[in-house]
């Protein structure tokens, strides 16, 4: 989704100092000036991710998960990453969302491991459950912070995310995500009321 920056558009007659009747100046304002569009954009990226990769911790989500602890607040982290990296390509935004969902799952499993009754000290050091789905999950593990994603996206995390998508589909191209986001956005914009509700005025 390309953002239009606020600008002042003057009719050509004004620039040419024409003596003809002039139309009044028109002001085109970016929607971000009057409303925070990130919640709406997040819904679109989430919808695109769900259409491209139905299975994952994002499968049944309607909105991005929130949490009272900043490290585990996926919605807040995602919005901060988009703002600080000034993400302009939908494919990057969608890959970032998947990364944060998977990191969030790491954090949730670590929190659950703290209460697992099979937890014990491992020979190699540290404490972790020894049975079930949480076997070997260290309770001290945490998801990447927003700052860590911002700092490492270009050189490490971005290429790694692309490689992950490519490993699942040998013919995968970033344009596939761009197209899915465009489709999700078009569907979202068909419901004006839903769009208005999603914006933070």
């Amino acid at each position: 989704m390309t953002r239009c920056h606020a600008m002042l558009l003057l009719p050509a007659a004004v620039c040419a100092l024409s003596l003809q009747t002039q139309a009044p100046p028109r002001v085109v304002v970016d929607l971000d000036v009057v409303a925070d569009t990130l919640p709406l954009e997040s819904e679109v990226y989430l919808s695109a991710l769900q259409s491209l990769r139905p299975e994952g911790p994002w499968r049944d989500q309607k909105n991005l998960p929130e949490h009272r602890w900043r490290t585990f607040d996926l919605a807040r982290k995602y919005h901060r990453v988009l703002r600080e990296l000034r993400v302009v390509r939908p494919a990057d935004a969608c890959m970032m969302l998947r990364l944060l969902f998977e990191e969030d799952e790491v954090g949730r499993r670590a929190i659950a491991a703290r209460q697992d009754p099979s937890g014990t000290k491992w020979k190699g050091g540290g404490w972790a459950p020894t049975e079930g789905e949480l076997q070997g999950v260290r309770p001290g593990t945490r998801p990447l912070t927003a700052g860590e994603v911002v700092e490492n996206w270009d050189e490490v995390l971005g290429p790694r995310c692309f490689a992950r998508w490519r490993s699942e589909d040998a013919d995968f191209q970033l344009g596939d995500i761009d197209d899915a986001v465009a489709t999700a956005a078009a569907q979202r914009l068909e419901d004006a009321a839903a769009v208005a509700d999603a914006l933070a005025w």
Side-chain angles (χ1 to χ4, degrees):
M1 282 182 280
T2 303
R3 297 189 179 187
C4 299
H5 298 287
M7 63 187 76
L8 180 64
L9 300 180
L10 297 177
V14 173
C15 299
L17 298 178
S18 171
L19 297 178
Q20 299 177 359
T21 303
Q22 301 175 6
R26 293 167 292 173
V27 178
V28 179
V29 181
D30 186 348
L31 187 58
D32 281 341
V33 174
V34 294
D36 182 2
T37 62
L38 281 178
L40 174 60
E41 293 178 33
S42 298
E43 290 182 10
V44 171
Y45 293 134
L46 175 59
S47 178
L49 176 59
Q50 291 170 332
S51 68
L52 290 169
R53 296 291 185 273
E55 297 301 320
W58 51 82
R59 183 181 60 187
D60 299 321
Q61 297 291 335
K62 299 296 183 182
N63 300 292
L64 300 189
E66 299 179 352
H67 198 281
R68 61 190 180 93
W69 296 339
R70 183 179 305 175
T71 303
F72 300 95
D73 191 329
L74 195 155
R76 186 193 306 184
K77 287 201 296 186
Y78 187 52
H79 294 168
R80 178 184 167 188
V81 169
L82 290 181
R83 286 192 179 100
E84 294 193 14
L85 284 177
R86 299 181 181 274
V87 178
V88 295
R89 180 159 192 176
D92 286 330
C94 203
M95 289 194 298
M96 288 174 185
L97 182 57
R98 176 179 179 174
L99 170 67
L100 290 178
F101 261 111
E102 292 173 341
E103 286 293 313
D104 185 64
E105 186 68 11
V106 169
R108 291 179 183 278
R109 287 170 57 82
I111 292 176
R114 298 174 187 175
Q115 308 299 325
D116 193 286
S118 70
T120 187
K121 186 175 181 179
W122 287 64
K123 294 182 179 179
W127 183 93
T130 57
E131 301 175 0
E133 294 182 355
L134 297 176
Q135 181 177 353
V137 175
R138 302 301 174 97
T141 305
R142 64 164 177 78
L144 291 172
T145 65
E148 289 168 339
V149 175
V150 170
E151 183 69 23
N152 297 284
W153 179 257
D154 290 335
E155 296 183 1
V156 179
L157 298 176
R160 184 178 298 174
C161 286
F162 177 79
R164 172 76 179 279
W165 285 70
R166 177 61 67 83
S167 70
E168 297 167 343
D169 180 0
D171 297 324
F172 169 76
Q173 298 293 334
L174 292 178
D176 297 336
I177 300 181
D178 293 336
D179 293 342
V181 171
T183 299
Q187 294 173 345
R188 199 75 174 83
L189 292 174
E190 290 177 357
D191 187 349
V195 171
D197 292 340
L199 295 174
W201 298 95

